Amino acid sequence: MAVFNLKSREIECKIVFYGPGRSGKTTNLEYIFKTYKKQVSDQMVTIDTEGDRTLFFDFLPMGLGKIKGCDVKVQLYTVPGQVQYSSTRKLVLKGADGIVFVADSFAIRREKNMISLRDLDQNLKECGLNIFKIPLVLQYNKRDIADIPGNTIPIMSIEELQKDLNKQLKVPYYSASALSGQGVGATLKECLKLTLVHLQKEFNWAQ
Amino acid sequence: MGIKEQIKSALQEAEMYRTQGLLNEAMLTYKNVMELINKSIQPENSRQLLEGINNKIELLKKTISKYNDSDKIPELSVDTQNLIKEKFAFSTDKESSILEGAIILTKFGQFERAIKEFNELLKIEPLRLVAAKNILRCYFASSGADDAVSKYKEWIELGIFSTGQEEKIKFFLDNLLKEKGPKKKLPAEEVNENGNKNNSVEKKALDEKKLSDELLLDIPKTDDNEEEFLDISSVGITLGEDQKKGLEVILDVAFQSGDMVSLIVPGREKALIDIFKIGLKFNAINFYSPIAILNGSGVILTFSKIDSGPKAGNYSLDLKMFTD
């Protein structure tokens, strides 16, 4: 839940990176941490297990500076993607103002993407939120694999991913390679834009 | 594509999945390659290749098993634990925030620190029973039933709780042992069997059956053991005799997690705010869901004023639900 301090004209919001295990949520945050040094206000906190699987969450605080006369702060979180960490996902999702759903483009992960999106819908409901109303952006990650010369790994087309995940939602989507950073900034900017516009309706924070 | 190309391509695919950390997918793909080889290549020409693939599968199995074993939750650094408390506990009222902070630590499996914080809460009279129960639950979840029973025995020997509190703690631990632990006899029970039977104590404990889960925390669960609970949209609490006799107060659900609902109490409802206290139990509650109305009871887990955000000035109330 965003916090708006009227006196100091400061707004703080929470963006959560959601998606199946190994889809690249942490890699997104790592790229943002490396690339947007000016905006990053503190160290990135990562709590992972052996094999680089996120155990609880990753956390990255950012300061976007003054926007429309208001100091905008953003807290980025990732959730653990593995199915068994459902309780932790709910805890991290609580109070989210915007969501980036990171989908895996590998055809073999098609079902996992869909299961994770359904899980997001369910968990948002439990937090009193609606997947159709919350600012949400889809990111189709690992698109770079398709560009490797001689690649034979089955990769879903954007059309297939759209049909599976975005047919009903009709939210903005981006192709990305979190490892190289392609599409990462665009995804985050879109999610921030949607979130801040959404919060303007709620708080009227912008002058 | 010829058979050699098919095999080469599938092996590349499996290796890609492995490097991406998709270990099960890698294993499945290697197994498919083995089938393909068995079907299409003469055994004398494929033995070496099959052996190589088999070694890769065995290695993957070991890695998967190692990862599964490492799922045991580690004790995090104090800084990270502080971050967890700061980011996931929202109460601003001093006592509630200490309690909430300790509960949040437990939800993240940080039992050692949580036990320390619950121990501090033993000094605060209204919270000591809750703290004691949570300490036992932490021991139970982290080091096992024996440590929980030892702690209980230590408390009894030290006599730090009133008789009423001891009874409630004993009843709680009994239930915990019945539900999840090995059969153990607690000191008070042994005394009873030696002839000093106190039926009224047992009866009182039974009367409080539904209170046994009072103010319990949620130990991190997996999907497998999470209880199914209908989505509750609002809650109708019928106030007791000594409150606003028989009046049903309807409150909307802001958040639900299993059998716990968070309700928003408008700040203008002064009379309700005076009534609601942590630990207060309501025996007649209607839980309204989109498909049914459930009857039951509930206990207030947390109750605190919201100091910031769009709901500032209102109160947040967490209620544990018990349906009939």
Side-chain angles (χ1 to χ4, degrees):
Chain A
M1 184 177 66
V3 178
F4 178 44
N5 188 328
L6 198 64
K7 207 173 158 189
S8 59
R9 295 210 59 77
E10 186 183 289
I11 189 161
E12 188 172 75
C13 57
K14 177 175 179 178
I15 307 280
V16 176
F17 283 67
Y18 210 94
R22 311 301 297 175
S23 64
K25 302 175 289 295
T26 301
T27 314
N28 262 272
L29 248 65
E30 282 169 347
Y31 181 81
I32 294 165
F33 179 61
K34 261 190 328 205
T35 314
Y36 299 93
K37 281 199 159 50
K38 255 188 174 176
Q39 285 81 19
V40 169
S41 48
D42 207 341
Q43 285 301 305
M44 176 173 163
V45 177
T46 296
I47 308 166
D48 55 18
T49 59
E50 193 158 358
D52 294 336
R53 282 152 163 80
T54 302
L55 178 59
F56 292 138
F57 59 88
D58 303 307
F59 171 71
L60 179 60
M62 294 180 84
L64 303 186
K66 292 255 184 220
I67 300 176
K68 306 258 182 195
C70 194
D71 202 8
V72 180
K73 292 184 173 173
V74 186
Q75 299 187 337
L76 305 182
Y77 288 85
T78 67
V79 296
Q82 272 65 36
V83 176
Q84 67 267 33
Y85 298 127
S86 177
S87 304
T88 314
R89 271 196 297 280
K90 280 180 211 166
L91 279 173
V92 177
L93 200 59
K94 196 175 174 183
D97 300 297
I99 313 278
V100 172
F101 183 86
V102 182
D104 196 323
S105 293
F106 284 162
I108 205 162
R109 300 293 283 174
R110 183 180 175 213
E111 200 188 343
K112 299 281 188 235
N113 286 334
M114 293 192 282
I115 289 171
S116 180
L117 192 63
R118 277 209 303 270
D119 181 61
L120 170 64
D121 175 36
Q122 188 56 40
N123 286 339
L124 283 172
K125 273 184 195 154
E126 290 186 23
C127 295
L129 298 166
N130 184 332
I131 197 167
F132 290 99
K133 288 182 182 164
I134 193 163
L136 170 66
V137 176
L138 300 188
Q139 184 189 76
Y140 302 139
N141 196 19
K142 305 187 188 176
R143 300 307 301 174
D144 54 326
I145 304 292
D147 299 334
I148 297 172
N151 167 62
T152 52
I153 317 293
I155 299 283
M156 280 182 282
S157 68
I158 296 293
E159 290 72 27
E160 284 170 319
L161 284 159
Q162 280 283 90
K163 202 173 154 192
D164 280 350
L165 307 172
N166 207 10
K167 203 176 166 186
Q168 285 180 292
L169 292 170
K170 295 185 173 41
V171 295
Y173 63 94
Y174 289 86
S175 293
S177 163
L179 214 52
S180 70
Q182 180 250 319
V184 172
T187 310
L188 178 62
K189 277 177 199 164
E190 181 66 27
C191 188
L192 283 171
K193 192 184 89 187
L194 292 178
T195 304
L196 291 174
V197 168
H198 189 256
L199 291 175
Q200 171 68 7
K201 286 178 200 157
E202 198 175 334
F203 292 119
N204 198 21
W205 58 271
Q207 280 177 337
Chain B
M1 200 192 282
I3 195 70
K4 272 189 182 173
E5 281 75 23
Q6 273 186 56
I7 291 167
K8 199 178 155 193
S9 161
L11 286 173
Q12 276 174 354
E13 192 181 329
E15 193 53 21
M16 171 63 81
Y17 296 148
R18 191 191 64 76
T19 56
Q20 292 277 329
L22 302 171
L23 305 182
N24 289 312
E25 284 81 356
M27 199 157 73
L28 185 75
T29 312
Y30 276 127
K31 282 180 180 170
N32 290 341
V33 178
M34 285 179 90
E35 266 182 43
L36 185 66
I37 293 169
N38 283 328
K39 271 186 209 165
S40 49
I41 300 180
Q42 294 294 322
E44 58 272 23
N45 298 330
S46 62
R47 199 173 51 85
Q48 211 178 346
L49 184 58
L50 285 172
E51 259 180 36
I53 296 171
N54 206 34
N55 287 342
K56 282 185 182 287
I57 290 174
E58 286 308 312
L59 212 63
L60 279 168
K61 276 184 190 167
K62 273 184 196 163
T63 314
I64 291 169
S65 146
K66 199 169 84 179
Y67 288 173
N68 289 340
D69 291 344
S70 73
D71 273 356
K72 200 179 165 203
I73 296 168
E75 196 73 10
L76 304 170
S77 70
V78 173
D79 284 350
T80 311
Q81 288 175 340
N82 289 343
L83 178 80
I84 287 173
K85 284 175 70 179
E86 186 195 322
K87 297 298 171 193
F88 299 97
F90 303 105
S91 289
T92 48
D93 164 61
K94 197 186 167 198
E95 286 176 3
S96 302
S97 71
I98 303 172
L99 177 65
E100 201 187 348
I103 289 175
I104 281 294
L105 286 173
T106 317
K107 284 185 176 179
F108 280 95
Q110 302 305 295
F111 297 115
E112 268 183 54
R113 169 96 180 261
I115 288 172
K116 272 185 200 161
E117 300 207 352
F118 283 127
N119 269 318
E120 285 300 307
L121 291 173
L122 287 177
K123 295 169 192 162
I124 302 170
E125 186 52 43
L127 298 179
R128 61 200 318 248
L129 192 58
V130 186
K133 288 177 181 178
N134 280 323
I135 288 169
L136 294 180
R137 197 120 192 209
C138 281
Y139 277 119
F140 212 91
S142 57
S143 49
D146 285 343
D147 283 5
V149 173
S150 298
K151 181 46 82 177
Y152 169 76
K153 285 179 179 172
E154 188 188 313
W155 285 337
I156 299 300
E157 277 167 23
L158 291 170
I160 60 168
F161 292 104
S162 69
T163 314
Q165 286 171 336
E166 272 181 17
E167 286 167 16
K168 285 179 182 173
I169 296 167
K170 176 185 175 294
F171 183 71
F172 169 75
L173 185 55
D174 267 338
N175 270 358
L176 209 56
L177 290 167
K178 268 180 215 157
E179 278 172 29
K180 294 173 180 173
K183 274 210 153 190
K184 283 194 180 291
K185 284 181 181 176
L186 300 176
E189 208 167 306
E190 287 161 5
V191 171
N192 283 346
E193 284 176 4
N194 288 339
N196 302 324
K197 212 167 185 175
N198 187 346
N199 286 332
S200 66
V201 169
E202 290 300 314
K203 189 182 174 298
K204 252 173 128 182
L206 283 170
D207 288 343
E208 290 175 327
K209 198 176 175 203
K210 280 191 175 172
L211 265 174
S212 63
D213 280 344
E214 178 190 354
L215 292 164
L216 297 186
L217 50 89
D218 289 323
I219 298 296
K221 298 173 188 173
T222 65
D223 279 351
D224 298 336
N225 60 13
E226 248 176 62
E227 278 179 36
E228 285 292 325
F229 222 94
L230 278 177
D231 284 349
I232 305 298
S233 52
S234 58
V235 169
I237 301 173
T238 303
L239 300 176
E241 295 280 327
D242 49 346
Q243 297 148 359
K244 283 191 166 186
K245 193 180 173 183
L247 178 74
E248 189 189 24
V249 180
I250 308 275
L251 296 167
D252 286 339
V253 172
F255 167 72
Q256 181 183 353
S257 176
D259 58 358
M260 198 275 288
V261 283
S262 294
L263 311 169
I264 300 292
V265 183
R268 62 179 180 276
E269 298 288 350
K270 302 280 181 219
L272 285 179
I273 291 159
D274 287 342
I275 292 169
F276 292 153
K277 297 274 181 298
I278 292 175
L280 183 65
K281 187 187 176 193
F282 295 99
N283 291 317
I285 300 184
N286 289 324
F287 298 105
Y288 298 97
S289 85
I291 52 168
I293 300 172
L294 307 172
N295 300 316
S297 56
V299 174
I300 297 178
L301 298 182
T302 67
F303 183 58
S304 58
K305 195 174 182 181
I306 303 167
D307 285 333
S308 58
K311 304 280 184 197
N314 295 323
Y315 284 74
S316 166
L317 185 155
D318 287 343
L319 184 82
K320 186 171 174 69
M321 305 184 282
F322 303 95
T323 50
D324 293 339

